[in-house]
Amino acid sequence: MSTATTPVTVQKVGGRLGAVISGVRLGGDLPAETVAEIRAALLAHKVVFFRGQDHLDEEAHEAFGRLLGTPVAHPTVPSADGRYSFPIDSDYGGRANQWHSDVTFVPAYPAFSILRAVVIPPYGGNTLWANTATAYEKLPEPLRALADGLRAVHSNDYDYAALRPGALPEQLVRFREVFASTKFLTEHPVVRVHPETGERTLLLGNFVQRISGLTGTDSRALLDLFQGHIERPENTVRWQWQVGDVAIWDNRATQHYGVDDSDDHERKLRRVTIDGDVPIGVDGRSSVLLAPESVPDPAFGIASGDSKASPSEPAAV
Ligand SMILES: O=C(O)CCC(=O)C(=O)O
Ligand SMILES: [Fe+2]
């Protein structure tokens, strides 16, 4: 409980990112000062962790999310129970073992994700985060200058089968029918100016298809080069989950990776995402939606139209 007798403390757990916040019982009723402390720690450390939040259910998780912004539904994966809380479920292909920022295939992709551990396997199943601001800042100057001028196309219509050779036929079907039911293509700047901190961050990850204006070979080489700087072990932090843990990350300044190494053990988490704004590059140019031409919902900076379909589970996130 956040009271005068249990001060909020913030302890770094990695050199480049990550901090544990103690002395807070998360929920929709937190005082404004506590929310401000959490937000400041989140912007500074990029991912923050809370232990012992077992009291949270879907409703309280979402209510807490509202203190950070407006919860948003996934643009293609429908919610089974009408909630914003999104299941990450090992039984339904919810394995996110690729480096990504959430939902970057739409222009105004989420600012924050709040992930809560419900069932954790006896071993493995950790999550890694990487700092995309330090990844940029530590590049040699000629590479920063190169990245500043690039734009990249992100899509949810990637080659799921190639990335998951062990995927079951029903998982492939689910991917096509649900996750990639509406095919989004968005062009983002490769370097985004963070709207709250002003930091420059590398905006890449597994939804990137190619760098605009380059051949496939040149594009792949540059993507591997920049992504390699993001993923360097010293640029990451790793979290070993316990049931009741909550992690919140700044999705505009991080990538993450759910390690798929707990065999067939059950693993269930729930995620609430909070809306973000349309990225702006160092030259002042915004991200643009290339496809589809019209979608029915204003969420995620999409002009109109929606793809939230019928209940099912996600194949990817
Ligand atoms: O399974 C994990 O550890 C990460 C899942 C993920 O990518 C997400 O919640 O956005
Ligand atoms: Fe994710």
Side-chain angles (χ1 to χ4, degrees), residues 154-235:
H154 296 228
S155 179
N156 57 333
D157 187 23
Y158 58 87
D159 191 346
Y160 182 80
L163 280 167
R164 287 165 195 270
L168 303 169
E170 52 271 33
Q171 289 175 326
L172 297 175
V173 168
R174 197 178 349 249
F175 175 80
R176 284 195 202 97
E177 290 184 355
V178 179
F179 188 80
S181 54
T182 300
K183 300 188 191 326
F184 288 99
L185 276 182
T186 295
E187 188 190 63
H188 288 297
V190 166
V191 180
R192 172 180 190 178
V193 180
H194 193 291
E196 291 190 73
T197 65
E199 288 172 307
R200 293 181 179 191
T201 61
L202 288 174
L203 169 39
L204 294 171
N206 81 310
F207 296 118
V208 174
Q209 284 194 331
R210 61 189 163 79
I211 294 186
S212 304
L214 300 190
T215 63
T217 311
D218 290 345
S219 171
R220 191 71 262 154
L222 287 186
L223 289 172
D224 288 346
L225 171 73
F226 290 120
Q227 185 64 31
H229 283 267
I230 294 169
E231 295 171 16
R232 288 179 65 141
E234 42 283 282
N235 196 50

Side-chain angles (χ1 to χ4, degrees), residues 88 96 100-102 113 249 251 256 271 317:
I88 309 286
H100 65 285
S101 303
D102 290 330
S113 290
W249 60 93
N251 196 47
H256 56 281
R271 185 184 81 190
V317 285

Side-chain angles (χ1 to χ4, degrees), residues 81-92:
D81 49 11
R83 296 212 158 272
Y84 289 108
S85 170
F86 179 97
I88 309 286
D89 191 330
S90 55
D91 288 349
Y92 293 96

Side-chain angles (χ1 to χ4, degrees), residues 125-150:
N126 297 175
T127 306
L128 280 70
W129 283 264
N131 185 334
T132 57
T134 48
Y136 173 82
E137 189 190 305
K138 295 194 177 292
L139 286 175
E141 202 285 322
L143 289 183
R144 282 202 303 268
L146 173 62
D148 284 348
L150 298 173

Side-chain angles (χ1 to χ4, degrees), residues 29-45:
D29 55 354
L30 283 178
E33 319 82 82
T34 311
V35 176
E37 280 178 274
I38 294 173
R39 194 176 184 104
L42 178 53
L43 292 177
H45 299 288

